[in-house]
Amino acid sequence: MKKLNRRSFLKGGLAGGAAIAAVGTSKQAVAGTHNFGGYPDSMGVLVDLTKCVGCRTCEAACNKEQALPTPDKPFDDPSVFEERREGGLPRRTTEKAYTVVQKYDVPGREHPLFRKVQCNHCNEPACLTSCFVNAYKKTPEGAVIYDKTVCVGCRTCMIACPFYIPAYSYSSAINPVVKKCIMCYDTRLKFGRPPACVEACPQEVMTFGKRKDLLKLAHQRISEKPDKYVDQVYGENEVGGTAWLYMSDVPFDKIGYDNHLGTQPIISYVKEFLAMVPMVLTIWPALFTGFHLLSNRKDALKNDDNKS
Amino acid sequence: MNSLKSQGFAPVVSDLKKDGSTWTVKEKIMLGLSPKEYWAVQLRNPFNWLLWAIYAIGLPILVGRFIFGLGWVTHSSYDYPWGLFLGWGLFVMVPLSASGFMMGTTVELFGRKDFKPIERLGLLNGLLGYTFAVMFLQVDLGQPWRLIYPMFVSLGPAAVLFLVAWHVATYLSCQVAELVPAFSEWMGFPKAKKFIKSIVLGLTVAGIILSTLHQGALGALFTYAPGKVHPLWYSSPFQWLHFFVSAVFAGLSMLIVVSTLTKWFMRWRCDENYLNNLSKLTLGLAKGASLALITYLVIKIIGIAHDNNWAYLLTGWGAWFMFEMVVGVILPLIFYTMAVRNSNASLARFAAFMAVFGLALNRLNTALISFNWQLYQELPHWREVVIVVTVYATYIVVYRAVLARMPILYTWKEKK
Ligand code: SF4
Ligand code: SF4
Ligand code: SF4
C-alpha cells in the first residue's frame, strides 16, 4: 500500500508546513513508481464499440436513473449526432447528460461507428488526486463518486481529468456542483447490480463484471477474432487503468480516444513537486537562518574593524 | 496632491500637528485636510473619474455574478473550467506579489539595511497582491462561502491546491504581521511594533518557505494536465521551478514598477530618504532581477531540452513562445544588465515594465492561451473582462489609499 504511504506522508509534511514546525517530516520516503492498480475485486464495464448501433437507449436510461432534466431533443432523434460544439467537436457530457453517444464516420468502414462516452472510473483518478477537499472517492466496487456537500467549486478536477469528463452546473448561483457519471453507485452498483445504461442496451454492447475478468474476456475475444478487433483494450493501462474498458475494430485514435495519455496515473506527473515539499520544509529554515547568522557576523566583523 | 504640496501643503508624517496637538484618526484618514478640501481634491483627479466609470459598469455586473451564477459572466465552458479570474487574478497576481518575501529576506535576513527605504513598499505590494488574488478566487469559486472547507471541514492534503490554499492563507497572516509596524506607527500603538520586531526573523524565514512552496505549487497545478497545456509551456519535472524562479524576477520587477509609479504620481507622499535612494535601490533590484532572469532563461532551455521539444519551436506556437521569451525575458535581461553596468535607472525601469509584461504573458499563456491547444481557443466573455477590470481597479484604489496614509513611502517621525 505505497499509495497510502504517500498520502499519509504528505499529511505529515503539510501539517508541519502549516505550523512551520517543520522537523523530521522526511522520514517516510516518497513512493516510487509503483502504481495503484485499483481494488482487486472492483467492477467494470467492457464496451464493445463494434456492436453499438447508436440508438441512444443508454442515454435515456441514464437520464431516468439519475433524474436528469429532460433534454431539448428526444432520445430517438439522431440529429444530435451532427451537433457540433466549439472547435467542431462532437457533443460531450454536460451537467444534463452524464453520458452521450458520438458518431464517427470512418473511411472504409461500412457503417458509422458509435461511441458511448461517460466517466471511465479510473483506478487512480486524476479528479480525486487533484481535489483539495477530498470530494471524490474511489469505492471498492470501482465507482468514482463525488460528494457535493464539500465541493468548493474550484474546478481543478475538471482541469485534471484527462478524459474531459466532469461537467459543472455553472447556471446555479447558490449550489453549483460537479456533474458526472457515478456508475449508478447509490442505486445499483452498491447492491451489485449493473448500471442502468448497461442494462438498458438492446444490443448488449456492454458487459458488466469484475474488471479483471472483463480484461480476460476482452483479450480472449481479440485473439478469437484478430481480423475484427484492433489489438488494444482501451482503459487497460491508460492513465494507470480505468474501470470502463473498450474494444474496437478501428484504431482508437481515429475515433476520439487519446492514445497519448501514457500508462502513468496523472498524479505521477505531480510527484517531482510533491517530493520537493518536505525537502524545502526541512532544509530551508536551517539554510536561511544560517545565511542570517553569516550576514550578521560580517556586520560584527566590520564593526570590530571600525573600532580598532 | 502633488500640486497641493508644491503650494505648501504638508501631509501627516507624525502624531503631532505643527501646533503641538495630536492628529485624530479621522484627520489622519483625511490626510490632514479638512473634509471639504479632501473631497475637492478627490473630485479634481481625472484618474478618479475613470474609476467611477469602471465602477458604474463593473459593480452591477459583479453583483450579477453572485445572483445569476458563473454561467452568466463566463463562457461556462466544460473544457475551459478556468478563465480570466484565475488566469489573471491568481496566476499573474501572485508572482507579481513575490516582492514581499524577497524584501523581507534582503533586509531582515541578509542584513541589507540599505534596502530599508523600499522594504515596506515591497511588503505592501506583497500583501495587497495576495489579498486581491484571494478576492479574484472568491469571484471564481463556485461556492465562495466554502473557502475555509479545505482548511477545516474536509481536507484533501495530497492535492497541490491544498498546499496553495494553506500556504497562501498562512503567508497572508505572515504578511499582515510584517506590516503591523507601519500600521502601529500610523495609529500610535508602539507595543505592537515592538512585538513584531522580536519575531521578525521567524516571520521572514516562514515567508521564504511558504513562498517557495506556493509559488512553485501554482506551477505544479498544471502538471495535473499533461497534454492539455502545450509542451512548450509544460514540463512536469520543471514546472514548479519555472514558476518559482520567474516569480523572483517578477516580484522584483513589479517592485520597480510600483516604485516608479509612486515617484510619478504620489511624489507628495514620498520623503527625501525614499526619493534620494530610489535610483540606487532600483539598480540594486535590477541586479537581483537580472540574476533571476538569466537563471530562468537557462532552466527554460533545460526544460525544452529535457523533454526534447525543439521541433515545436518551428510551429506557430513556437513563434508565440519565442515572442514571450524575447520580449518578456531576453530583452529585459539585456536592458537590466546594461542598466546596472551604466547605472542607468531609467533603463532599469523600462526593463521592469517589460519583465512584468513577460511574466503576465507567460502565466496567461500557460493557464489560458496554450491550454487545450489541441481542442480550440476560447475567448473570455466580455462580462468576465469587466469584472476583472473592476476588481483590479479596487486593488489600485486600496493600494493608493494605503500609500497615501501609512508610513510606507516616508518615515514616521516618532515622538521624542
Ligand atoms: S474519467 Fe475523469 S472524472 Fe472519471 S474517474 Fe477518471 S479522472 Fe475522474
Ligand atoms: S471543483 Fe469541487 S470536486 Fe472539483 S476539485 Fe474543486 S472542490 Fe474538488
Ligand atoms: S453508469 Fe449510470 S450514471 Fe453512468 S452513464 Fe451509465 S446510467 Fe449514467
Side-chain angles (χ1 to χ4, degrees), chain A residues 130-133 135-136 146 151-157 178:
Chain A
S130 70
C131 177
F132 70 155
V133 291
Y136 287 92
Y146 158 86
C151 171
V152 178
C154 67
R155 311 192 294 290
T156 313
C157 50
V178 171

Side-chain angles (χ1 to χ4, degrees), chain A residues 118-122 125-128 136 144 160-163 165-166 180:
Chain A
Q118 77 298 306
C119 171
N120 285 325
H121 300 277
C122 310
C127 55
L128 184 154
Y136 287 92
V144 176
C161 172
F163 302 110
I165 291 303
K180 75 162 196 77

Side-chain angles (χ1 to χ4, degrees), chain B residues 230 232-233 312-328 357 360-362 364-366 368-371 377:
Chain B
H230 189 282
L232 285 174
W233 285 272
Y312 287 111
L313 286 179
L314 299 173
T315 63
W317 284 110
W320 182 236
F321 176 79
M322 286 312 288
F323 172 76
E324 178 196 308
M325 291 307 285
V326 171
V327 176
F357 168 78
L361 187 60
N362 171 265
L364 291 176
N365 272 338
T366 313
L368 293 177
I369 300 171
S370 88
F371 195 81
Q377 298 301 131

Side-chain angles (χ1 to χ4, degrees), chain B residues 31-47:
Chain B
L31 306 171
L33 298 166
S34 73
K36 219 169 128 199
E37 286 170 323
Y38 180 79
W39 291 115
V41 172
Q42 299 303 317
L43 274 174
R44 237 184 292 135
N45 187 343
F47 184 67

Side-chain angles (χ1 to χ4, degrees), chain A residues 61-62 65-66 98-99 116 118 181-184 195-197 244:
Chain A
C62 177
E65 181 79 17
Q66 300 297 331
Y98 294 175
T99 184
K116 177 184 183 295
Q118 77 298 306
C181 155
I182 50 166
M183 216 163 155
C184 294
C197 54
W244 283 61

Side-chain angles (χ1 to χ4, degrees), chain A residues 190-213:
Chain A
K190 204 160 65 175
F191 310 107
R193 292 174 54 211
C197 54
V198 174
E199 209 170 68
C201 177
Q203 301 293 321
E204 294 183 358
V205 170
M206 292 165 274
T207 317
F208 175 70
K210 280 193 183 151
R211 182 177 186 271
K212 53 182 182 198
D213 299 340

